[in-house]
């Protein structure tokens, strides 16, 4: 066996906890497949010390592609899936490297320490991770609640469970609401700490969109990763993926391409690469902030402030909002005011245009939007601004992209240019879809 100690144990426990919080009871979609691949790769890098990252990544992505909804049904199912994948990969790893019991790097398919960590219940993981984040030793925490360090060890290993009074004392010592340590939650992962409607930072603002897909053909990237889009919170820098239900999921470690704030001559954004914080730290980072003063030298192990959600009683996740109604069929040729009225029934950007005044005064410079297809002649539409033209073009594109989750996601974020790019990617029969020159027009000609 390769090097294995408390550092590897802490990282694996956190990785399993992140996976359980993100995957348990949720649908299998591209966002969760990306997260599962990344976190599983973190675990395998600790276990299979002699393998190259690219080799491990290929095996991880193959395992995630074949997953079924039943394998992520709940916390226990996620852990069983993890154990099955790791044991299968352990047999292939030992055979490939020709290592046997007693050799350095050998992974015992039955006796490696990782199997005991995969057996840990949500309560045991919760206790370990909270104790670590608060930088409390077993002896120190035991004195605070009136038990010995060996008793805490039994709880953390899952051999025994604390009583009601001991749970209350643990919650006080760790600074969290006692509901998080209630016996009814012993088998429930903390999904509330891994799924959000918006970034839970102190000053949530807008988000910058990027892509996880790699352009280099030699890079081994899964189809799920190519389809996923990352959101970066402009206030705190936390990275997120949005699942098919609208939840924001914290993105685990990796290297992403994020648009810079500058704009190039062709209107595009220069790309920079950003490295995530490691799973060695409390996760997700946006919830956990170091307790030490930034100007003071931190302790060897960082103590974190308790996140606000943990100081309150656990709450159920809010229901997924109802999808906005959309036309069942693409709209044909109708007058502009009719098109605006139809789109206003479900698009918040079109709603204020519905009652916009129409005057005979000169409308100033308007925008022409050209669109053509091989089977049709060139058609031209006019709009009062480039933003309005792009918005209208995105509406046209969505008539053919109603079943595409990525396009729906982009349109919801008003990323109109990206909606058009998605349309052109999926419908190469369209030759031209661009905003053209500004021309003088009257407002009543819209």
């Amino acid at each position: 066996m390769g090097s294995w100690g408390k550092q590897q144990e802490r990282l694996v426990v956190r990785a399993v906890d992140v996976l359980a919080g993100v995957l348990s009871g949720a649908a299998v979609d591209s966002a969760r497949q990306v997260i599962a691949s990344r976190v599983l790769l973190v675990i395998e890098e600790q276990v299979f010390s002699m393998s190259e990252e690219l080799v491990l990544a290929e095996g991880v992505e193959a395992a995630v592609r074949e997953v079924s909804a039943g394998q992520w049904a709940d916390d226990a199912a996620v852990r069983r899936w993890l154990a099955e994948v790791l044991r299968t990969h352990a047999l292939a790893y030992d055979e490939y490297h020709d290592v046997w019991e007693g050799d350095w790097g050998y992974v015992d398919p039955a006796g490696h320490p990782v199997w005991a960590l995969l057996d840990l219940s949500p309560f045991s993981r919760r206790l370990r991770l909270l104790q670590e984040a608060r930088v409390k030793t077993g002896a120190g925490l035991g004195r605070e609640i009136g038990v010995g360090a060996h008793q805490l060890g039994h709880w953390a290993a899952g051999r025994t469970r604390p009583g009601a009074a001991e749970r209350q004392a643990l919650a006080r010592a760790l600074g969290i609401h006692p509901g998080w340590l209630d016996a009814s939650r012993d088998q429930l992962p903390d999904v509330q700490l891994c799924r959000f409607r918006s970034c839970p930072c102190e000053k949530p603002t807008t988000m910058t969109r990027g892509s996880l897909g790699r352009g280099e053909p030699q890079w081994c990237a899964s189809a799920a990763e190519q389809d996923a889009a990352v959101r970066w919170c402009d206030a705190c820098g936390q990275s997120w993926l949005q699942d098919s239900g609208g939840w924001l999921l914290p993105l685990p470690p990796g290297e992403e391409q994020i648009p810079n704030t500058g704009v190039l001559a062709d209107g595009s954004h220069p790309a920079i690469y950003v490295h995530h914080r490691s799973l060695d730290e409390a996760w997700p980072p946006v919830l956990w902030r170091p307790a030490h003063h930034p100007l003071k030298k931190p302790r060897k192990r960082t103590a974190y402030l308790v996140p606000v959600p943990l100081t309150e009683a656990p709450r159920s996740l809010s229901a997924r909002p109802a999808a906005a109604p959309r036309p069942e069929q693409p709209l044909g040729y109708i007058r502009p005011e009719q098109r605006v009225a139809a789109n206003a029934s479900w698009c918040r950007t079109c709603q204020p245009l519905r009652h916009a005044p129409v005057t005979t005064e000169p409308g100033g410079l308007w925008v022409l939007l050209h669109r053509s297809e091989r089977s049709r002649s060139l058609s031209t539409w006019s709009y009062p601004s480039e933003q309005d033209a792009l918005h209208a073009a995105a509406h046209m594109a969505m008539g053919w992209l109603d079943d595409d989750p990525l396009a729906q996601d982009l349109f919801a974020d008003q990323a109109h240019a990206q909606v058009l790019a998605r349309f052109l990617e999926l419908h190469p029969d369209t030759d031209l879809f661009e905003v053209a020159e500004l021309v003088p027009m009257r407002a009543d000609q819209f």
Side-chain angles (χ1 to χ4, degrees), residues 95-418:
E95 180 179 358
Y96 178 81
H97 292 283
D98 195 22
V99 290
W100 303 88
E101 187 172 359
D103 294 340
W104 188 92
Y106 172 75
V107 177
D108 189 341
H112 192 281
V114 72
W115 311 127
L117 301 178
L118 297 184
D119 284 338
L120 293 177
S121 68
F123 170 80
S124 296
R125 298 197 309 264
R126 194 173 298 131
L127 175 58
R128 286 183 178 219
L129 296 175
L130 285 170
Q131 183 180 341
E132 176 194 346
R134 302 293 286 156
V135 191
K136 292 181 179 290
T137 64
L141 183 57
R143 283 193 299 270
E144 290 187 60
I145 64 177
V147 301
H150 68 283
Q151 184 62 68
L152 275 171
H154 288 315
W155 295 342
R159 290 187 288 268
T160 60
R161 298 280 174 84
E166 295 166 326
R167 291 174 186 269
Q168 293 280 341
L170 265 177
R172 287 194 299 270
L174 294 172
I176 66 173
H177 190 280
W180 291 95
L181 295 181
D182 190 82
S184 62
R185 293 188 54 83
D186 283 357
Q187 301 300 327
L188 298 178
D190 295 332
V191 297
Q192 295 91 338
L193 302 183
C194 290
R195 304 177 194 175
F196 299 90
R197 282 295 176 204
S198 60
C199 185
C201 67
E202 296 177 356
K203 298 179 180 179
T205 54
T206 58
M207 290 191 177
T208 299
R209 296 182 59 87
S211 174
L212 289 179
R214 267 71 170 191
E216 301 88 342
Q218 68 272 20
W219 182 271
C220 179
S222 66
E225 188 164 313
Q226 292 289 354
D227 290 340
V230 63
R231 287 171 167 78
W232 300 85
C233 177
D234 293 340
C236 68
Q238 174 71 44
S239 51
W240 304 94
L241 290 179
Q242 189 173 45
D243 70 358
S244 56
W247 296 109
L248 291 176
L249 314 174
L251 188 64
E255 182 180 280
E256 316 307 342
Q257 179 176 312
I258 180 175
N260 201 348
T261 54
V263 180
L264 301 179
D266 62 357
S268 63
H269 294 267
I272 58 176
Y273 285 91
V274 178
H275 294 270
H276 294 282
R277 293 169 60 179
S278 169
L279 272 179
D280 287 326
E281 304 173 37
W283 192 263
V286 68
L287 290 181
W288 298 89
R289 306 189 184 281
H292 63 77
H293 192 279
L295 298 181
K296 295 181 180 179
K297 185 177 180 180
R299 298 176 58 176
K300 187 175 182 180
R301 288 180 59 196
T302 302
Y304 293 93
L305 298 174
V306 175
V308 172
L310 290 179
T311 64
E312 304 170 347
R315 301 178 182 178
S316 300
L317 294 177
S318 58
R320 177 182 178 183
R326 290 195 175 135
E328 294 184 1
Q329 297 294 331
L331 295 175
Y333 179 76
I334 56 176
R335 292 182 56 79
E337 62 270 20
Q338 293 174 313
R339 184 172 64 254
V340 170
N343 290 336
S345 67
W346 64 275
C347 177
R348 64 177 184 271
T349 303
C350 284
Q351 288 168 3
L353 298 177
R354 186 173 186 176
H355 302 293
V358 177
T359 68
T360 58
E361 298 297 324
L365 294 180
W366 287 54
V367 177
L368 289 181
L369 173 68
H370 295 323
R371 174 173 174 266
S372 67
E373 298 177 52
R374 291 192 179 98
S375 58
R376 299 176 59 183
S377 59
L378 177 69
S379 57
T380 302
W381 307 75
S382 58
Y383 299 92
S385 70
E386 182 174 353
Q387 181 180 359
D388 291 326
L390 284 173
H391 178 75
H395 266 297
M396 296 180 194
M398 287 303 296
W400 285 267
L401 296 176
D402 262 354
D403 296 330
D404 184 65
L406 179 58
Q408 294 177 11
D409 188 23
L410 291 169
F411 190 89
D413 282 350
Q414 303 296 293
H416 301 134
Q418 296 183 50

Side-chain angles (χ1 to χ4, degrees), residues 33-45:
Q33 286 177 316
V34 170
I35 291 178
S37 296
R38 292 212 169 173
V39 180
L40 183 52
L41 181 60
V42 169
I43 297 174
E44 294 209 353
E45 286 177 335

